[in-house]
Amino acid sequence: MKSPGFTCWLTGLSGAGKSTLGIEITQALEQLSLPCEYLDGDVIRTNLSKGLGFSREDRNTNVARVGFVCGLLNKHGINTVVALISPNRDSREQLKLQIPNFIEIFIDTPLEVCITRDVKGLYKKALAGEIPEFTGISSPYEPPLNPDITLKTHKETLNECLEKVLNYLRERGQI
């Protein structure tokens, strides 16, 4: 019987570095010959959660759907890496109860830094009032109270962040 997998859940503001780091973690796990699936918020919104808006309820539904998929994959020994803003603390806390090997990784990057990294122009539109319910501007982001790992992508290199995650997984016996 396969060992259950784990879920590395990267949460933080848009532009914090979740996707970049999520891809790096996934590639590192694959290089260790560990089965892994990467789930990115933008791709999820286009496919699994198409039609959902950005109300608190819809955001929580999105998080719950992704969590459900992670739980299924983990049950079959497939590790998951998720890059999803997931702004509501209560929805992330619910995942901790449902996913046995859930690792919450908070990408703690200040809003000002995220705005400067705005390659898609979303913050510019949100600040101009063109995007309602934009996390960090017109909709709140609730930081984790006790994340498993906190990374500061504005102070740490990508490699330093990756090593922190891999070291944590080693310490837990996950890799």
Side-chain angles (χ1 to χ4, degrees), residues 21-41:
L21 183 57
I23 291 167
E24 290 292 319
I25 294 168
T26 303
Q27 290 173 347
L29 295 174
E30 289 171 346
Q31 288 176 358
L32 295 170
S33 299
L34 294 170
C36 187
E37 188 64 41
Y38 173 64
L39 302 170
D40 185 83

Side-chain angles (χ1 to χ4, degrees), residues 122-133 137-138:
L122 298 175
Y123 280 107
K124 184 178 180 181
K125 289 180 181 178
L127 288 165
E130 297 172 24
I131 301 176
E133 299 182 277
I137 302 297
S138 52

Side-chain angles (χ1 to χ4, degrees), residues 83-148:
L84 190 68
I85 293 172
S86 41
N88 302 322
R89 191 177 297 126
D90 57 342
S91 66
R92 295 188 310 268
E93 291 298 322
Q94 191 62 39
L95 294 175
K96 293 177 186 179
L97 300 174
Q98 296 170 345
I99 301 172
N101 295 315
F102 183 86
I103 302 155
E104 186 176 42
I105 303 171
F106 176 35
I107 311 300
D108 184 12
T109 305
L111 177 62
E112 305 76 45
V113 174
C114 293
I115 290 172
T116 66
R117 296 178 178 174
D118 188 17
V119 294
K120 298 177 194 170
L122 298 175
Y123 280 107
K124 184 178 180 181
K125 289 180 181 178
L127 288 165
E130 297 172 24
I131 301 176
E133 299 182 277
F134 190 81
T135 303
I137 302 297
S138 52
S139 183
Y141 176 80
E142 301 167 350
L145 297 176
N146 192 23
D148 297 296

